[in-house]
Amino acid sequence: MVSRRQFLQLTGLSPLLATASCSKPTPEQTVAGSSVNPTVNKPNVLFICIDDLNDWIGSLRGHPQAKTPNIDRLMSSGVNFTNAHCSAPICSASRNSLLTGLKPSTTGWYTNAKFEHSVDDILKDIPTLPEHFKNNGYKTMAGGKVFHTGVSDYRHHQWHETLPEYVITNEYLLGRGYGYGRYGNKDHKYYPFPKDGGQIVQTLGPDTRGKSLCWGALDRKDIPHNGVMPDEYIANWAIKQLQQTHQQPFFLAAGFIRPHSPFTAPKEYFDLFPLEQVQMPEIIDDEMADIPLYGKAMALGIIDGGDHAAVTQVSDSFWRELVRANLACIAFVDDQVGKLLDALEAGPNSANTLVMLWSDHGQNFGEHRNWRKMTLWQESTHVPFVIRLPGQTQGKACPQAVSLLDIYPTLTALCQLPAVDTNEGLSLASLCAEPSLERAQPAVSTWGYKNHAVITETWRYIQYRDGSEELYHNIDDPNQHYNLANTPEYQAVKNALQIWLPKHNQLPPGMSEFTGDFLEQRINQWQQANGVPDWLS
């Protein structure tokens, strides 16, 4: 393993590299090229959302052993945006940004905190994405996790039809989760848990926070609803909608749960990945040495003492077991995607349906000693994102950095709906026609108040709210081991990327001034105790 100094010498990176691609466009400039030709009939939309799916996809090469033949075939027949990033690396903030067309720095919705009380003040008359389709003649249908808690977190009138929530009545199966999520009468979409509650519970006790960081290869008898997982329940419902003839164009959203933790799936998917053959993510010993304090605080995780410390405490093999479990859960959800694609292609709506697939954010598996999302590194922000237009069979890849914030204006353009002036993303309609067209604007991902990552094809620049920085060369250092931010010759690169940082950062709802959040709490605890844990040093 080369040292950081050797890395700089070997690569000879120039501060002028790729700065041209960061030039700021004029306000009216979006993507160069002509507009998409209108079609006679408005297309249907199959809107496939997947929870916590990182780039462990065959076509994205995030993990060499990923088995995703169905997502791969969609990507090979559509436009595969290989460098797509969430606008926030956490469920609620990401989905609300995507579905409202607004940046987290505009709304102040940065986390999973409850914010329903602020919706009317912030959105006013701005329609959500499904509302906009409903208001313009589409039949809107949804099942599973589309918003954070389900089909709707607010404005529950935006759907014509919805799938009832997956509810578990078996107290034994419910009890395995030890109160995870909204344990009670509903919202059991993340279940089932392993038979014994999971490895974290067994090691640290049932009151431990972060207990969902566990895995289980389940027999069908260990799964509620006569062996039907929540994602299978969602897929079965969506298939029925795709098999029907509808009197108006439809917008059908299917929100799958896996590979969100707990990493449980039917046993046959684990059998695809023998444990001893599982390849591990690339890690270096001094991975955290050049990470600023705020980055370390993000990586700490949820479990008391830190997620990484807990993982290594469970057993010597637990890290590998979790990597295997994620591969298994991804293979499982890929099968559900395949069912939908098969039903669409065999049904009455195949000729005029646009298919879009995306994930709300990524997921780390020990990289940078992180075990969740909720950081501004590649593993947390990079997501699969593909658009297949009606009748399209020839796949194209677009390597330019795009944002999930672009989804709202893109679908509006492709389906010939009125533009929504408040949309802060850029339409990708021209890139769907010609992926090689130049896009000047990078992607920006935000985690918490005034913490941002600016991402281009070549660079990732991170600035935390205290002004500390990280800079990575995506081509020569794809795993982001070597922080170049404090190397003087890259000041020009940082200057070019800094112009894309949000000029306005809205305070979180309810705050009249920023008084800190969980990051400051963690840093203060370290300062009052024995400093940063050794494994984060």
Side-chain angles (χ1 to χ4, degrees), residues 82-222:
T82 61
N83 194 14
H85 299 269
C86 61
S87 49
I90 193 156
C91 297
S92 181
S94 174
R95 291 166 185 263
N96 279 288
S97 176
L98 186 160
L99 293 164
T100 64
L102 299 173
K103 301 174 183 176
S105 55
T106 297
T107 62
W109 295 338
Y110 299 112
T111 67
N112 279 349
K114 294 185 181 297
F115 54 81
E116 290 87 341
H117 63 282
S118 65
V119 168
D120 291 338
D121 291 337
I122 292 172
L123 295 186
K124 297 181 174 64
D125 60 351
I126 297 172
T128 65
L129 176 61
E131 270 187 304
H132 192 48
F133 273 79
K134 185 178 181 183
N135 294 342
N136 285 277
Y138 272 74
K139 179 180 181 180
T140 56
M141 303 173 284
K145 184 175 178 178
V146 182
F147 286 77
H148 177 46
T149 60
V151 295
S152 298
D153 288 354
Y154 48 84
R155 293 189 178 176
H156 302 287
H157 60 270
Q158 56 200 315
W159 306 106
H160 286 103
E161 294 181 17
T162 59
L163 172 67
E165 290 185 349
Y166 183 94
V167 176
I168 301 173
T169 57
N170 185 310
E171 290 297 325
Y172 168 68
L173 295 178
L174 266 181
R176 293 179 183 176
Y178 290 93
Y180 179 74
R182 287 163 49 197
Y183 174 60
N185 295 325
K186 61 178 183 176
D187 198 6
H188 304 144
K189 58 181 174 287
Y190 299 116
Y191 287 69
F193 267 72
K195 299 176 184 179
D196 58 5
Q199 296 79 12
I200 295 296
V201 163
Q202 293 301 307
T203 302
L204 302 175
D207 296 330
T208 302
R209 296 178 68 239
K211 61 177 67 72
S212 66
L213 191 63
C214 63
W215 67 270
L218 303 178
D219 295 324
R220 288 290 175 176
K221 65 182 180 181
D222 296 312

Side-chain angles (χ1 to χ4, degrees), residues 42-347:
K42 294 187 185 301
N44 306 310
V45 177
L46 174 57
F47 194 67
I48 303 174
C49 334
I50 304 180
D51 207 1
D52 286 24
L53 178 60
N54 58 14
D55 60 7
W56 291 13
I57 307 295
S59 299
L60 296 180
R61 302 182 180 89
H63 193 289
Q65 295 171 306
K67 297 183 185 298
T68 55
N70 297 296
I71 296 176
D72 289 340
R73 70 170 156 128
L74 177 61
M75 288 180 166
S76 67
S77 60
V79 182
N80 181 9
F81 292 93
T82 61
N83 194 14
H85 299 269
C86 61
S87 49
I90 193 156
C91 297
S92 181
S94 174
R95 291 166 185 263
N96 279 288
S97 176
L98 186 160
L99 293 164
T100 64
L102 299 173
K103 301 174 183 176
S105 55
T106 297
T107 62
W109 295 338
Y110 299 112
T111 67
N112 279 349
K114 294 185 181 297
F115 54 81
E116 290 87 341
H117 63 282
S118 65
V119 168
D120 291 338
D121 291 337
I122 292 172
L123 295 186
K124 297 181 174 64
D125 60 351
I126 297 172
T128 65
L129 176 61
E131 270 187 304
H132 192 48
F133 273 79
K134 185 178 181 183
N135 294 342
N136 285 277
Y138 272 74
K139 179 180 181 180
T140 56
M141 303 173 284
K145 184 175 178 178
V146 182
F147 286 77
H148 177 46
T149 60
V151 295
S152 298
D153 288 354
Y154 48 84
R155 293 189 178 176
H156 302 287
H157 60 270
Q158 56 200 315
W159 306 106
H160 286 103
E161 294 181 17
T162 59
L163 172 67
E165 290 185 349
Y166 183 94
V167 176
I168 301 173
T169 57
N170 185 310
E171 290 297 325
Y172 168 68
L173 295 178
L174 266 181
R176 293 179 183 176
Y178 290 93
Y180 179 74
R182 287 163 49 197
Y183 174 60
N185 295 325
K186 61 178 183 176
D187 198 6
H188 304 144
K189 58 181 174 287
Y190 299 116
Y191 287 69
F193 267 72
K195 299 176 184 179
D196 58 5
Q199 296 79 12
I200 295 296
V201 163
Q202 293 301 307
T203 302
L204 302 175
D207 296 330
T208 302
R209 296 178 68 239
K211 61 177 67 72
S212 66
L213 191 63
C214 63
W215 67 270
L218 303 178
D219 295 324
R220 288 290 175 176
K221 65 182 180 181
D222 296 312
I223 301 172
H225 293 271
N226 296 316
V228 176
M229 292 282 289
D231 285 339
E232 293 170 317
Y233 172 71
I234 295 162
N236 292 341
W237 173 82
I239 288 168
K240 292 178 181 178
Q241 315 314 312
L242 293 170
Q243 291 171 337
Q244 298 176 23
T245 300
H246 300 268
Q247 299 304 309
Q248 60 194 109
F250 63 75
F251 182 99
L252 172 60
F256 293 120
I257 312 304
R258 292 296 180 268
H260 191 289
S261 61
F263 302 108
T264 56
K267 182 178 180 296
E268 58 264 30
Y269 293 96
F270 283 79
D271 293 341
L272 297 172
F273 306 97
L275 181 61
E276 64 279 2
Q277 297 176 19
V278 168
Q279 297 184 35
M280 300 294 287
E282 182 182 347
I283 310 294
I284 62 175
D285 290 340
D286 59 347
E287 186 137 36
M288 304 304 291
D290 56 5
I291 302 298
L293 201 56
Y294 273 81
K296 296 177 192 290
M298 289 181 182
L300 182 70
I302 297 175
I303 301 172
D304 290 342
D307 291 344
H308 188 71
V311 168
T312 55
Q313 182 178 348
V314 169
S315 72
D316 292 340
S317 63
F318 190 46
W319 193 337
R320 186 179 299 273
E321 291 166 13
L322 288 172
V323 170
R324 177 201 188 202
N326 191 53
L327 290 168
C329 289
I330 291 172
F332 165 71
V333 80
D334 179 78
D335 260 6
Q336 312 317 308
V337 172
K339 294 175 186 176
L340 265 59
L341 297 178
D342 290 345
L344 174 63
E345 292 159 9

Side-chain angles (χ1 to χ4, degrees), residues 449 505-515:
Y449 178 67
N505 291 272
Q506 179 64 36
L507 288 166
M511 279 193 179
S512 57
E513 62 177 332
F514 188 71
T515 56

Side-chain angles (χ1 to χ4, degrees), residues 7-23:
F7 172 79
L8 297 177
Q9 293 171 342
L10 289 171
T11 56
L13 296 178
S14 166
L16 299 180
L17 272 175
T19 55
S21 67
C22 301
S23 58

